[in-house]
Amino acid sequence: MPRTRRPAPRPPEGTPVQTVLARMAREGLAGAARIARWADTTRSHRTRPRAADTTAPPPPTPGGALSDATCERAAAELDLTEKQIRADWDTARLAGLVEVHGSTARPGWRLRAWDRDDSAVLRGWVALFDAWSLVHPAPEEQPAAAVGEVIEAMPQVLSLLQLSDGPVAMPQLLDLLEQRVFELRTERCEIPFGPHPEQSVAEEPEASLLAPLLDWALYSLASVGALTLGEGQATLTPLGSWAVWVKLEQIIVAAQSPAGNIEQSAEEMLRGCARLGPGSARAEYRAWLAARPVGSAVTELLDAARGDDALLRGLAFEALRVVGAPAEPEVRAAADRTSLRPYALLWLAEYEGADPEDVHAVLSRAESTWLWVDTAAAVADHGEAQLLVRHLESAPQGTVPALLQEVRRVGHPRTVQVLVALAAAHPDPALSKAVRRAAFQVHTGGA
């Protein structure tokens, strides 16, 4: 029996331990990164305006597999076998180093961040770890249902490996796998057809039938670098142990949603966070994000940001700050949209390491004014009158007349409503009158 130990907390980002893990991941994925960079280079040559390079290889076939011509050229240029090229390409796809859309391949965001961002590297390795069952085909003679049960049961096997101080013998792993598969069948209430009174609700699987599937699962996990196989035993690698912690953490975070919005849409989740404090809201964002794929979560948050509610726009970008690097490409693309541009530019500046005190310097005066109006609209819709009055002090202009002039110029669709609400809330009659006049001019299109 292996000795058990208390699992240590997962190392936080930026620590020496994480740096070591990222170095291991880079070494394990070196071949995938190499073919991804090669594909990126040939793609950039192929898409140049001048079409002089007739030797550029064709793009991947639909489904993402390399064409024979591309594989042959890559093998020649990288001095590798075609079998190695195809294996590295498949790994690059699973790790997110390349993204295939139809018959078009393009670099994934992780490739761009590969040399400078340890968290991007580790995220890529975890993506490969999650896809371990795709690395090698399951035994053909095994029924698909049994393969699915083993895949579903493997987290418990990995948890045992993670909690064990050293290698675990194959018979113990097989015993645990057999028990877990039996539990899964019982939970599904799989009752055999026909009168079989001597049988239990779910027939316990035979170890001899599961043994080859356990061998396949462990071999696949070893192929991605999650564990090592010895004589009749298996041991998690440091990366494998870290990945198991990542998964446990995600489960724990998803179960600790303070406001219970995990199952809601992005828009409903953000509305639920509107009355939470910053710390509680971030916890809610993390829980919501942990329960869904990061790509679809980013898309859903940006869709919410494109709506008419300015409050949700600001909250969506707060949630995207929790996402971090995986959101960069879509946030960068969102900067082309007028309503999202100020939020996107601030997000990108923070992501690239700008000083928080200087981050607003990335905005032009017009963009700052647009953001001021948008924030004022959120306050007017959801806040108290005094908050709107205090918001006047944060205007980028030094005087109210200058503010009103520039507010009229930027053309925010909520300008009239914001000015009317500000005029009604401000205690100074003269200033209130000037603001109301400006609202009337914007409404009528006057100067």
Side-chain angles (χ1 to χ4, degrees), residues 367-386:
E367 290 162 351
S368 295
T369 303
W370 178 283
L371 181 61
W372 184 89
V373 177
D374 209 50
T375 306
V379 175
D381 290 342
H382 303 278
E384 299 176 358
Q386 286 305 111

Side-chain angles (χ1 to χ4, degrees), residues 6 40 55 89 107 124 137 141 215 297 314 349 361 388 424 441:
R6 289 176 62 85
D40 186 24
T55 65
W89 177 257
E141 66 276 9
D215 291 342
L388 190 58
Q441 291 172 342

Side-chain angles (χ1 to χ4, degrees), residues 210-296:
L210 291 178
L213 284 174
L214 176 63
D215 291 342
W216 160 71
L218 294 177
Y219 177 75
S220 297
L221 285 161
S223 297
V224 303
L227 52 81
T228 57
L229 297 175
E231 188 65 32
Q233 61 188 24
T235 309
L236 277 183
T237 64
L239 274 172
S241 182
W242 176 81
V244 174
W245 261 113
V246 169
K247 299 302 154 187
L248 290 173
E249 229 178 34
Q250 289 176 347
I251 293 170
I252 293 170
V253 168
Q256 293 179 341
S257 166
N261 289 303
I262 291 178
E263 302 299 328
Q264 302 296 326
S265 66
E267 182 174 336
E268 291 303 315
M269 181 274 294
L270 294 172
R271 291 191 189 282
C273 292
R275 296 294 181 181
L276 297 177
S280 297
R282 280 192 295 272
E284 189 72 4
Y285 301 149
R286 285 193 294 269
W288 187 85
L289 290 164
R292 49 193 38 82
V294 65
S296 61

Side-chain angles (χ1 to χ4, degrees), residues 117-151:
D117 190 341
D118 286 350
S119 65
V121 175
L122 289 173
R123 284 174 184 265
W125 189 86
V126 169
L128 178 64
F129 170 79
D130 287 340
W132 66 264
S133 62
L134 303 178
V135 175
H136 295 287
E140 293 183 359
E141 66 276 9
Q142 295 291 339
V147 173
E149 288 172 338
V150 169
I151 293 173

